[in-house]
Amino acid sequence: MAVNRPSDATAHWWRDAAIYQIYVRSFADGDGDGTGDLAGVRSRLPHLVELGVDALWFTPWYLSPLADGGYDVADYRTIDPAFGTLAEAEKLIAEARELGIRTIIDIVPNHVSDQHTWFTEALAAGPGSPERELFHFRSGRGPDGALPPNDWVSEFGGTPWTRLDDGDWYLHLFAAQQPDLNWAHPAVRQEHEDVLRFWFERGVAGVRIDSAALLAKDPALPDFTAGHGPHPYVDRDELHDIYRSWRAIADEYGAVFVGEVWLPDAERFARYLRPDELHTAFNFNFLACPWDAGLLRSAIDGTLAEHAAVGAPATWVLCNHDVTRTVTRYGREDTGFDFAAKTFGTPTDLRLGTRRARAAALLSLALPGAAYLYQGEELGLPEADIPRDRIQDPMHFRSGGTDPGRDGCRVPLPWSAGAPYAGFGSTVEPWLPQPAGWASYAADLQRTDPDSMLSLYREALRLRRTEPGFRDTGTAGERLEWLPTPPGVLAFTRADRLICLVNLTEEPVEPPAHTEVLLSSGPLTDGGRIPNDTAAWLRG
Ligand code: GLC
């Protein structure tokens, strides 16, 4: 079953890898209890080999009360028993590697779970104790300290401060169950460096760094509205020193990083990608870009330019476990403002969305750099409506119920149309309900249908792997060049006479002269023209 991957031949596999994100809880259930697990992933490795991905990125699989889907880690060296054991994770890493697939894990350095021993010990030790110095404990303001210590706002809404019975407040940029660590404390740095080694020793090839630009805080924790100087907690200069030491450790193992860095400022973003820091970072401008040729082109150009400045490859992502699924998003009438945001009941046209998502897949997979796919994207899954009484995401509750939260993109995958729960593997109701019609997206139906989303992704990934023109090894000549086109049409060449054309106009367009079509996201017209909302890969 092992496929010979050209990317294996090079130490720079990560530069142009196709990386598949696994949200373990919803991927496949191996023991039938309603929650996805490592046994489920191991049983579905053949799907990932057939799909043709180079690496898997696992969202957190560690011991966790799951107050934020595992981004509240209670112990980095233990796999959550709901998912399996450490021995099983080691087996999975090795098995995948045998099949030519590398493993990337998720490290969440900004915070831990409130069940982490560091935090439970800090609570027990009381105000003023050295244990509390690992976190950000403060007295409140106002009479009796009854007001939060500053005016910051949680990423999930509301104040990021929670008060304890002993009077102290603690900081949590996310949910109250996710206390922020104090990165100015040497023990915090030491512990994370040890955790990196722990996983690199187990064969992990890379680490995704959660909320990578938020770790460092101004020690005075000043009001946000105090307003001058650097931001009190976003993108502070101290972070670069942390990532330089991480890089030195990764280099010992030949491992790589991908940072989750949401920053609008291109120059500040690129600083994380300097040669002695992170190898790559997520580029969210492309993900957040509406379906508009001009805007897409500037998102692509801006991304390539900011990466070229530091010699790092770009990453291309259309969806992940935090944003609205692609086919739903692209099917909205207004693809503009708040494109990726979660909303209740925004009308969507799934046929249109699917057509565009197929075209977007060919666009993103043709760009130079690494491509990320989120589980279920290859099945064309839509965002699911979760009945309000089944919603689990803390984001929903912290918004006072106005935001549906992120569960709609985290629904258990459909594997077999004829099996209970669409073949997810559960013998009881899965942790999130699958909507009506979910079985029609099942992988087994799509595998044999040449027009399915799965067939499109498999063929695109096969071409991307086998056509040298799609490579990005960091040498000159691998960048893209735009071809002159009418407004609304995007077309660029890569090396080896490869061309990607996307038609976002209403009318079909002629492919460039003397080209042959390698793959298209939908049928061409009788005369061989490329219809609207369709992409084609061609050879000139
Ligand atoms: C990142 C994760 C998100 C999580 C948050 C807090 O943004 O992608 O799922 O809720 O960090 O860890």
Side-chain angles (χ1 to χ4, degrees):
M1 185 164 38
V3 179
N4 187 16
R5 287 158 205 279
S7 57
D8 277 347
T10 158
H12 297 299
W13 65 273
W14 47 275
R15 292 190 64 98
D16 54 10
I19 300 163
Y20 185 95
Q21 179 188 354
I22 294 191
Y23 194 81
V24 182
R25 213 175 171 188
S26 302
F27 184 72
D29 182 359
D31 63 6
D33 68 352
T35 293
D37 46 39
L38 301 188
V41 178
R42 290 172 64 198
S43 74
R44 295 293 176 186
L45 284 175
H47 171 83
L48 300 164
V49 172
E50 274 175 28
L51 181 60
V53 295
D54 301 299
L56 305 176
W57 151 32
F58 290 92
T59 50
W61 56 12
Y62 322 100
L63 185 70
S64 167
L66 297 178
D68 181 22
Y71 284 91
D72 46 323
V73 179
D75 180 357
Y76 273 109
R77 296 172 181 83
T78 307
I79 298 288
D80 197 279
F83 298 152
T85 61
L86 182 58
E88 230 176 333
E90 289 172 352
K91 251 192 222 150
L92 169 53
I93 295 166
E95 278 168 5
R97 191 67 191 88
E98 285 274 291
L99 298 169
I101 299 180
R102 290 179 163 87
T103 295
I104 295 175
I105 55 162
D106 210 321
I107 296 284
V108 191
N110 181 67
H111 43 266
V112 290
S113 159
D114 61 355
Q115 303 302 309
H116 191 286
T117 35
W118 277 6
F119 193 71
T120 53
E121 283 167 12
L123 292 191
S129 61
E131 286 84 349
R132 290 206 174 181
E133 286 167 17
L134 296 170
F135 298 90
H136 298 286
F137 283 90
R138 290 290 187 281
S139 311
R141 297 201 288 203
D144 308 323
L147 297 171
N150 68 23
D151 68 354
W152 299 0
V153 177
S154 157
E155 301 286 315
F156 287 166
T159 175
W161 291 97
T162 290
R163 194 174 198 191
L164 301 166
D165 289 343
D166 59 31
D168 258 9
W169 295 74
Y170 70 89
L171 175 71
H172 51 85
L173 288 184
F174 294 88
Q177 298 90 334
Q178 295 166 295
D180 278 41
L181 289 167
N182 172 14
W183 272 87
H185 196 297
V188 171
R189 283 186 70 151
Q190 185 60 53
E191 167 65 0
H192 282 80
E193 295 183 3
D194 292 351
V195 165
L196 289 176
R197 286 183 193 282
F198 178 89
W199 286 103
F200 291 152
E201 291 289 341
R202 282 164 178 76
V204 157
V207 165
R208 180 250 188 200
I209 308 169
D210 185 71
S211 304
L214 304 183
L215 283 45
K217 316 282 183 315
D218 181 331
L221 306 183
D223 276 345
F224 178 66
T225 46
H228 28 258
H231 192 287
Y233 62 86
V234 177
D235 184 33
R236 292 181 61 82
D237 287 344
E238 304 91 285
L239 285 168
H240 297 284
D241 185 45
I242 296 170
Y243 293 134
R244 283 197 191 99
S245 18
W246 285 28
R247 176 62 179 257
I249 296 169
D251 283 348
E252 286 173 36
Y253 295 89
V256 299
F257 293 114
V258 54
E260 188 204 18
V261 181
W262 294 83
L263 286 183
D265 181 321
E267 190 273 325
R268 297 289 306 182
F269 173 86
R271 290 159 61 98
Y272 292 82
L273 299 175
R274 290 177 292 194
D276 59 346
E277 297 193 38
L278 308 182
H279 304 73
T280 55
F282 285 125
N283 150 42
F284 292 113
N285 295 341
F286 181 68
L287 179 154
C289 185
W291 190 243
D292 172 279
L295 295 174
L296 283 166
R297 182 170 165 164
S298 23
I300 293 167
D301 279 342
T303 298
L304 292 176
E306 74 197 29
H307 286 79
V310 279
T315 62
W316 306 101
V317 187
L318 289 173
C319 68
N320 64 30
H321 65 296
D322 291 331
V323 301
T324 303
R325 280 202 180 266
T326 323
V327 302
T328 301
R329 219 165 71 204
Y330 287 125
R332 287 179 184 163
E333 204 171 295
D334 177 11
T335 63
F337 180 67
D338 253 6
F339 181 56
K342 303 280 188 178
T343 40
F344 277 112
T346 310
T348 185
D349 173 348
L350 287 183
R351 273 176 63 110
L352 176 68
T354 302
R355 188 181 170 88
R356 290 176 171 171
R358 291 173 67 95
L362 291 198
L363 170 61
S364 63
L365 293 173
L367 293 167
Y372 281 80
L373 278 75
Y374 172 50
Q375 68 181 39
E377 189 176 340
E378 82 280 24
L379 303 177
L381 295 183
E383 184 82 3
D385 283 328
I386 308 293
R388 281 185 191 252
D389 62 347
R390 296 289 302 275
I391 294 183
Q392 308 230 3
D393 186 8
M395 212 162 178
H396 170 70
F397 302 104
R398 290 192 62 96
S399 77
T402 56
D403 183 323
R406 300 161 296 178
D407 293 336
C409 65
R410 300 173 175 181
V411 173
L413 292 194
W415 291 100
S416 329
Y421 306 114
F424 178 57
S426 305
T427 50
V428 295
E429 168 84 17
W431 73 280
L432 276 179
Q434 297 166 314
W438 208 234
S440 66
Y441 294 97
D444 67 341
L445 296 181
Q446 298 203 32
R447 187 168 294 126
T448 51
D449 172 2
D451 298 326
S452 68
M453 187 69 99
L454 180 57
S455 298
L456 178 73
Y457 266 98
R458 278 171 58 174
E459 184 55 11
L461 288 168
R462 188 187 70 75
L463 285 168
R464 188 183 145 94
R465 204 166 58 233
T466 50
E467 286 289 341
F470 285 132
R471 313 297 329 262
D472 180 348
T473 58
T475 43
E478 291 168 332
R479 297 178 51 78
L480 63 77
E481 270 176 49
W482 294 102
L483 296 172
T485 43
V489 178
L490 294 173
F492 57 84
T493 56
R494 298 284 317 267
D496 225 17
R497 307 189 323 279
L498 291 171
I499 296 173
C500 174
L501 184 149
V502 193
N503 178 10
L504 292 91
T505 70
E506 294 299 313
E507 299 303 322
V509 291
E510 291 289 345
H514 314 298
T515 53
E516 102 186 81
V517 176
L518 300 178
L519 180 63
S520 63
S521 65
L524 303 188
T525 67
D526 286 344
R529 290 186 303 159
I530 300 162
N532 93 302
D533 290 334
T534 301
W537 287 358
L538 310 130
R539 192 187 312 276

